[in-house]
Amino acid sequence: MKFLIANWKMAPETPKQAISLAKATSTIARTSKKHVQMIVCASYVHLSTLRNTTKTLALGAQDVASTTTIASTGKVSAPMLKGLGVTYCIVGHSETRANGDTNEVVKEKINRLLESKLTPILCVGEKERDEHGWYLSTIKDQIESAFFGIAKPSLKRFVIAYEPVWAIGAQATREATPTECQEMILFIRKIIADLYDEKVAKTIPVLYGGSVGEENARAFVTDGDASGLLVGRVSLDPKRFAKIAQRIVQQ
Ligand code: PEP
């Protein structure tokens, strides 16, 4: 079973558009459900609208509050998400890290999600690559900090997404290659094996995200060894998103 996660980011603009996109995505999920676990991570404002329109989809949020204090104007807590039928939540996305989320804040968010029995989708990724391989220490720090103090049983509910920042979004400098993806996924599994053991390292899903489209999707899961894909912009286009699902199923 592969994961296919749609990160709708700050779109669509209206509830009507969100429902229509969810219905189209739900149809895609139905046709690929034997092989693909599809998760839609929508803006907070759409979550309650989507709750009843997405039976074949799992519902995810894009962020969560790091604290439990009620004096957190504008924030949304893990129990609030749980109450809306949300089961997954992205944490540590490069766009929220760019807005100030440190590894420590990401760690607190993970704690809040686990306390509410929600599944964190932990995004990790380096801003740029250098020829000496220093970027590997960025990934190591992100993972070690996120997993600090987490007991093995909690890892049954955990997804990691490797998203090199330089390959994400309209500002991407280039696409990652399946080989770069495979090497990093191996590296991430090695860090997990050192923290826990080989079994945990093998079973935890490690996805790839960053400018995934119908042309490169298959290579990331076959040659790149990704347990699935996290898709941003293309997840807003049901025809293209359907092709990505088909490409995963084809393997
Ligand atoms: C993302 O924002 O997580 C992402 C992968 O975006 P895109 O697919 O648009 O590069």
Side-chain angles (χ1 to χ4, degrees):
M1 184 67 97
K2 298 287 184 209
F3 284 85
L4 184 55
I5 304 181
N7 176 12
W8 287 358
K9 308 196 185 201
M10 202 170 70
E13 279 185 1
T14 67
K16 201 172 159 201
Q17 288 167 336
I19 290 172
S20 135
L21 182 58
K23 282 189 177 154
T25 311
S26 182
T27 307
I28 302 165
R30 209 172 309 123
T31 45
S32 52
K33 73 170 186 235
K34 266 198 195 155
H35 308 278
V36 179
Q37 164 67 65
M38 203 172 290
I39 303 157
V40 167
C41 295
S43 156
Y44 291 141
V45 296
H46 293 313
L47 293 174
S48 68
T49 313
L50 296 183
R51 186 178 188 170
N52 298 319
T53 47
T54 56
K55 296 231 160 57
T56 54
L57 304 168
L59 196 54
Q62 299 172 2
D63 201 5
V64 66
S66 60
T67 67
T68 50
T69 170
I70 290 174
S72 300
T73 304
K75 303 286 183 201
V76 173
S77 71
M80 285 170 168
L81 295 177
K82 181 100 180 162
L84 290 175
V86 166
T87 47
Y88 291 86
C89 181
I90 294 175
V91 277
H93 191 278
S94 59
E95 288 155 13
T96 52
R97 288 185 193 262
N99 285 330
D101 274 15
T102 58
N103 281 346
E104 291 68 33
V105 172
V106 171
K107 165 78 195 146
E108 285 307 311
K109 290 182 173 183
I110 290 170
N111 286 347
R112 299 295 84 74
L113 292 171
L114 294 176
E115 283 158 14
S116 285
K117 303 211 174 336
L118 296 175
T119 300
I121 301 167
L122 169 68
C123 295
V124 296
E126 75 282 4
K127 285 195 188 128
E128 53 190 15
R129 289 206 168 194
D130 60 279
E131 57 189 24
H132 306 294
W134 296 118
Y135 62 91
L136 293 171
S137 63
T138 303
I139 307 297
K140 193 163 185 276
D141 289 349
Q142 289 175 342
I143 303 251
E144 288 183 346
S145 159
F147 282 78
F148 184 76
I150 295 183
K152 227 199 288 184
S154 298
L155 297 181
K156 282 194 194 115
R157 201 180 296 116
F158 221 103
V159 176
I160 300 174
Y162 169 56
E163 297 210 301
V165 182
W166 46 268
I168 296 178
Q171 287 82 34
T173 48
R174 64 171 177 90
E175 283 181 18
T177 65
T179 307
E180 287 170 327
C181 169
Q182 186 195 36
E183 285 168 358
M184 190 58 89
I185 286 178
L186 258 178
F187 180 66
I188 290 171
R189 292 200 189 282
K190 166 86 174 64
I191 300 168
I192 308 281
D194 290 345
L195 290 175
Y196 298 92
D197 57 43
E198 292 278 336
K199 194 172 165 220
V200 175
K202 268 189 202 150
T203 47
I204 197 158
V206 187
L207 282 53
Y208 174 77
S211 296
V212 172
E214 57 275 44
E215 324 75 24
N216 59 9
R218 188 170 150 78
F220 284 121
V221 291
T222 52
D223 308 339
D225 284 346
S227 318
L229 301 167
L230 198 164
V231 184
R233 290 157 295 161
V234 174
S235 68
L236 297 168
D237 179 337
K239 278 199 188 130
R240 295 189 64 197
F241 197 57
K243 283 191 191 143
I244 292 179
Q246 280 163 15
R247 299 277 145 83
I248 297 180
V249 169
Q250 261 171 27
Q251 58 168 324

